[in-house]
């Protein structure tokens, strides 16, 4: 959407509000009889451009952009349920998502059950008469397990529940949950969509009816709105998203294969490798692998720390999807709040590392890992 100046790069409409030519026009806009913006907590031209482009990319009817990924997840989940409803979620969730399911929802009288998302019978067995919502992430953080979205959606549809998919790890390029039968897709745009470490953002995508009925009022009155400046930054990110994701996925695949052959590594999980635990589902539901690799060092925490500390190009960070390669030790950072048993259930050991592969030269990255593995013994 260009202004009358015909600019190449989208304009930033950094405004809180809008003015009206007449009192009649203000009245008509508030009534919904006249199109146009009212207040940037509701909608803003730059944010609107980002939402429309996300809809085109995802194949969704409508969207709302949010200030962070967690604003997207919490709004999508909370606007869908009320006290007395029941939610089933896969237990391999991003930490804050798990807090919403395990801690926040029960506080407001919403019943929740966590299941092993890869076991279809657990989804089925968790269903109660008041089950309204399924929530899952795939591939999961950090062990990159893959949930059969179409099969989970089938169970949900049979009981009239809706499925929310946190599609961050797959990106809109590698997996289309709406095509697989899910009803709502959420993203942390902070990750691959920005992909250059600049700003937080999120987006919720679904059909127009669900957004109008469930999200519209919730969104307006709780105010998780995205800043127009950040929407503009994310629009810039979208311009290179396919190129970045393709390159990062290709590099991650090569690094996964290289790690799998290394004597210091006991396990590599990479969607796209034949030895992935759900290789058949990956082939069915994803267009490509992942920009992330999960692996275990043989020497446990000591070796994982030594390896991380010896890396020069790859940086230690809990972020992911960035143009810069980042390595995380989940047990002591992103998943430190879980009990040892909960971590073991998710397959996170003391030697587990999550590598988010960036845009650096892949041979340089392999050399960095090789040298660091030698230094770690
Ligand atoms: C990062 C992330 C979130 C939260 O996004 P923020 O932008 O940090 O709020 C939610 N889900 C997944 C899978 C994530 O990786």
């Amino acid at each position: 959407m260009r202004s009358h100046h015909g600019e190449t790069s989208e304009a930033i409409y950094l405004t809180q509000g809008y003015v009206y030519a007449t009192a009649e026009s203000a009245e008509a806009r508030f009534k919904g009889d006249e199109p146009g913006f009212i207040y940037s907590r509701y909608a803003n031209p730059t944010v609107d451009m980002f939402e429309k482009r996300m809809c085109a990319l995802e194949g969704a009817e409508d969207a709302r952009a949010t200030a962070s990924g967690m604003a997207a997840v919490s709004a999508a989940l909370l606007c869908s349920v009320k006290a007395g409803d029941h939610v089933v979620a896969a237990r391999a969730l991003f930490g804050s998502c798990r807090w919403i399911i395990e801690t926040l929802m029960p506080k407001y009288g919403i019943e929740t059950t966590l299941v092993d998302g890869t076991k279809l019978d657990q989804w089925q067995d968790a269903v109660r008469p008041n089950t309204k919502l399924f929530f899952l992430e795939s591939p999961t953080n950090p062990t990159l397990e893959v949930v059969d979205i179409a099969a989970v959606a089938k169970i949900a549809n049979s009981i009239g529940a809706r499925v929310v998919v946190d599609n961050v790890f797959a990106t809109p390029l590698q997996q289309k949950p709406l095509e697989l039968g899910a009803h709502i897709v959420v993203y942390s745009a902070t990750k691959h969509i920005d992909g250059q470490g600049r700003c937080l953002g999120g987006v919720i995508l679904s059909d127009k009816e669900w957004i109008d009925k469930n999200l519209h009022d919730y969104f307006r009155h709780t105010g998780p709105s995205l800043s127009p400046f950040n929407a503009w930054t994310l629009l810039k990110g979208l311009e290179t998203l396919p190129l970045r994701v393709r390159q990062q996925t290709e590099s991650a695949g090569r690094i996964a294969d290289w790690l799998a052959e290394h004597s210091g590594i006991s396990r590599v999980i990479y969607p796209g490798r034949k030895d992935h635990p759900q290789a058949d589902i990956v082939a069915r539901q994803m267009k490509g692998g992942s920009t992330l690799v999960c692996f275990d060092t043989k020497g446990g925490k000591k070796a994982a720390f030594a390896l991380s500390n010896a890396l020069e190009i790859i940086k230690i960070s809990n972020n992911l999807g960035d143009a810069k390669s980042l390595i995380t030790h989940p047990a002591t950072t992103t998943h430190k709040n879980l009990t040892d048993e909960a971590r073991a259930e998710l397959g996170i050991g003391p030697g587990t590392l999550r590598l988010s592969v960036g845009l650096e030269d892949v041979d340089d990255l392999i050399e960095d890992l090789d040298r660091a593995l030698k230094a770690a013994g």
Side-chain angles (χ1 to χ4, degrees):
M1 192 175 80
R2 295 193 164 87
S3 79
H4 62 286
H5 295 301
E7 61 280 347
T8 307
S9 176
E10 292 76 7
I12 310 179
Y13 292 90
L14 208 50
T15 183
Q16 300 169 339
Y18 307 86
V19 297
Y20 313 93
T22 62
E24 286 77 10
S25 168
E27 181 185 34
R29 231 178 263 187
F30 269 77
K31 265 187 170 163
D33 292 344
E34 179 186 298
F37 296 93
I38 294 174
Y39 189 49
S40 285
R41 171 153 39 83
Y42 298 175
N44 166 283
T46 312
V47 176
D48 191 58
M49 271 187 259
F50 173 65
E51 290 171 345
K52 290 210 163 70
R53 253 170 244 184
M54 281 305 303
C55 284
L57 187 56
E58 194 69 38
E61 280 177 16
D62 205 0
R64 292 289 183 278
T66 56
S68 70
M70 283 322 302
V73 171
S74 58
L77 295 178
L78 292 172
C79 81
S80 305
V81 289
K82 58 180 189 317
D85 287 346
H86 176 236
V87 177
V88 186
R91 69 166 70 93
L93 290 177
F94 184 76
S96 299
C97 298
R98 189 155 162 165
W99 182 85
I100 290 178
I101 298 290
E102 271 192 308
T103 308
L104 185 70
M105 285 186 144
K107 200 170 133 184
Y108 291 103
I110 300 153
E111 300 167 23
T112 63
T113 305
L114 289 173
V115 298
D116 178 342
T118 63
K119 306 242 158 67
L120 290 175
D121 55 334
Q122 291 198 16
W123 289 97
Q124 185 70 60
D125 292 346
V127 167
R128 300 179 191 165
N130 54 342
T131 303
K132 293 288 158 56
L133 207 64
F134 282 8
F135 178 50
L136 65 93
E137 201 180 289
S138 181
T140 62
N141 176 28
T143 53
L144 307 177
E145 292 217 312
V146 171
V147 178
D148 189 339
I149 297 173
V152 172
K154 208 170 147 193
I155 298 170
N157 279 326
S158 74
I159 57 156
R162 293 190 196 270
V163 181
V164 181
V165 176
D166 181 338
N167 208 38
V168 167
F169 274 55
T171 80
L173 296 149
Q174 286 160 344
Q175 180 169 276
K176 296 262 196 273
L178 299 177
E179 285 174 13
L180 296 164
H183 306 92
I184 299 132
V185 180
V186 290
Y187 288 101
S188 164
T190 313
K191 310 298 162 56
H192 304 80
I193 293 173
D194 175 30
Q196 290 149 89
R198 299 167 295 197
C199 66
L200 301 179
V203 62
I204 307 163
L205 301 120
S206 186
D207 57 81
K208 197 169 173 330
E209 192 192 337
W210 179 82
I211 290 195
D212 285 349
K213 259 171 90 174
N214 296 274
L215 185 59
H216 182 79
D217 286 344
Y218 181 97
F219 189 90
R220 285 187 161 212
H221 304 306
T222 61
S225 331
L226 180 64
S227 133
F229 184 82
N230 288 355
W232 181 85
T233 310
L234 297 173
L235 278 165
K236 296 285 112 187
L238 284 182
E239 290 177 0
T240 56
L241 179 70
L243 292 174
R244 285 184 285 109
V245 169
R246 194 187 310 145
Q247 180 60 49
Q248 288 170 229
T249 303
E250 198 183 305
S251 297
R254 264 196 62 195
I255 289 170
D257 289 343
W258 182 85
L259 285 168
E261 298 300 316
H262 198 284
S263 60
I265 303 297
S266 58
R267 174 180 76 154
V268 174
I269 312 177
Y270 183 73
R273 273 181 62 84
K274 282 202 183 70
D275 59 4
H276 186 277
Q278 294 89 29
D280 54 327
I281 304 170
V282 174
R284 252 197 337 264
Q285 102 181 4
M286 294 182 69
K287 292 187 186 74
S290 175
T291 64
L292 292 115
V293 184
C294 179
F295 62 97
D296 278 52
T297 52
K298 275 186 185 155
K301 178 181 168 184
K302 196 160 168 278
F305 271 36
L307 166 65
S308 303
N309 291 339
L311 290 165
E312 284 173 7
I313 299 173
I314 301 167
K315 299 298 177 198
I316 301 169
S317 173
N318 45 294
N319 207 357
L320 64 100
D322 200 272
K324 296 184 171 67
S325 293
L326 305 172
I327 198 157
T328 311
H329 184 251
T332 53
T333 60
T334 53
H335 292 70
K336 77 163 181 25
N337 289 341
L338 296 179
T339 61
D340 287 344
E341 297 94 76
R343 266 195 298 275
E345 249 176 12
L346 298 179
I348 302 167
T352 304
L353 288 165
R354 184 191 78 191
L355 175 63
S356 172
V357 178
L359 288 174
E360 303 92 341
D361 185 273
V362 65
D363 293 320
D364 288 349
L365 293 175
I366 289 174
E367 221 180 277
D368 201 21
L369 286 163
D370 193 29
R371 203 184 26 72
L373 273 159
K374 282 196 186 96

